[in-house]
Amino acid sequence: DTAVSQTPKYLVTQMGNDKSIKCEQNLGHDTMYWYKQDSKKFLKIMFSYNNKELIINETVPNRFSPKSPDKAHLNLHINSLELGDSAVYFCASSQREGSRGGYTFGSGTRLTVV
Amino acid sequence: KQEVTQIPAALSVPEGENLVLNCSFTDSAIYNLQWFRQDPGKGLTSLLLIQSSQREQTSGRLNASLDKSSGRSTLYIAASQPGDSATYLCAVGTGANNLFFGTGTRLTVIP
């Protein structure tokens, strides 16, 4: 009964490929997020999304795009992968806007671009 | 812009010691503050969530305090155990559905 689940856990791919990471939450939360953890272990938000609004961190390249087929899913699509995209990507969700209810994180997807 | 700093970056203690991890943030206009634990190669586990109107939260051997006016939070771990070894992350929740993370404190508890 995993609360926030991501697949795959590991992803190794070549430069230039397009890939997707899936995320699902069964908590009934109304907002979902994608975070990137770089090689120095620093976590930074990429996107936040609810059924009303997508907020994009201005530093995220437009090769990255979130797709939400429904309230419980927020998938991350990455086009034309680059070496610098290698990182661990975390999906998260929260119960209410403004994060008053706290965040629940998935276990992460380690992306390696070769 | 919110900036979150954690000190120390790494800490090594013998088993049984009580210890304190520190977190400071630059903008006191926060909704809440959350402490997470991250084990190597694993995801983030939420430990404690303190709302902006609260001063502390406790869970088992863990106690987190919040002083919003001074921009500080501490995580107190009592009677540390080897299983407590992990990286501890402080994160500040603000409006616009954002969570600002510190760089973490890597804790090693020596048996």
Side-chain angles (χ1 to χ4, degrees):
Chain A
D1 57 347
T2 305
V4 178
S5 60
Q6 297 178 227
T7 54
K9 189 171 177 65
Y10 301 96
L11 180 56
V12 181
T13 188
Q14 290 185 324
M15 284 177 56
N17 284 350
D18 302 337
K19 289 294 179 185
S20 296
I21 305 173
K22 296 184 177 180
C23 179
E24 175 182 5
Q25 55 96 3
N26 62 6
L27 298 167
H29 287 172
D30 59 14
T31 307
M32 295 183 71
Y33 313 82
W34 278 102
Y35 281 81
K36 179 179 180 180
Q37 187 172 43
D38 61 25
S39 57
K40 296 183 178 180
K41 307 299 183 186
F42 186 65
L43 273 153
K44 194 170 182 180
I45 192 166
M46 300 176 70
F47 305 99
S48 68
Y49 180 78
N50 60 27
N51 59 3
K52 301 175 187 175
E53 186 179 20
L54 170 66
I55 299 175
I56 303 172
N57 185 316
E58 60 189 12
T59 65
V60 176
N62 58 16
R63 298 181 294 103
F64 290 77
S65 58
K67 298 281 195 298
S68 181
D70 55 57
K71 189 178 168 181
H73 296 82
L74 184 67
N75 303 324
L76 182 65
H77 295 265
I78 315 170
N79 295 326
S80 302
L81 277 155
E82 300 177 358
L83 293 176
D85 298 332
S86 295
V88 181
Y89 294 84
F90 286 97
C91 178
S93 68
S94 69
Q95 187 169 1
R96 286 171 285 180
E97 287 186 3
S99 67
R100 291 191 182 275
Y103 290 70
T104 302
F105 279 77
S107 57
T109 295
R110 182 174 296 276
L111 171 65
T112 303
V113 182
V114 298
Chain B
K1 181 185 173 184
Q2 182 72 264
E3 292 185 3
V4 182
T5 304
Q6 289 186 246
I7 295 173
L11 180 63
S12 185
V13 300
E15 182 177 2
E17 270 202 9
N18 302 324
L19 58 100
V20 175
L21 308 180
N22 297 293
C23 172
S24 61
F25 47 95
T26 55
D27 186 346
S28 62
I30 67 171
Y31 281 11
N32 52 37
L33 186 144
Q34 198 163 355
W35 282 93
F36 293 89
R37 167 184 174 144
Q38 185 174 25
D39 294 279
K42 301 288 180 64
L44 278 70
T45 302
S46 179
L47 299 173
L48 290 164
L49 170 67
I50 311 176
Q51 300 295 346
S52 61
S53 58
Q54 298 174 324
R55 294 195 65 86
E56 67 176 345
Q57 283 287 333
T58 298
S59 175
R61 295 182 293 108
L62 305 180
N63 176 276
S65 68
L66 175 63
D67 184 343
K68 207 171 70 162
S69 60
S70 67
R72 293 181 182 176
S73 176
T74 61
L75 178 67
Y76 176 81
I77 302 177
S80 59
Q81 303 171 358
D84 295 332
S85 298
T87 295
Y88 289 80
L89 294 163
C90 164
V92 171
T94 67
N97 301 315
N98 205 345
L99 193 65
F100 291 88
F101 278 88
T103 49
T105 294
R106 189 170 70 252
L107 173 67
T108 302
V109 180
I110 303 166

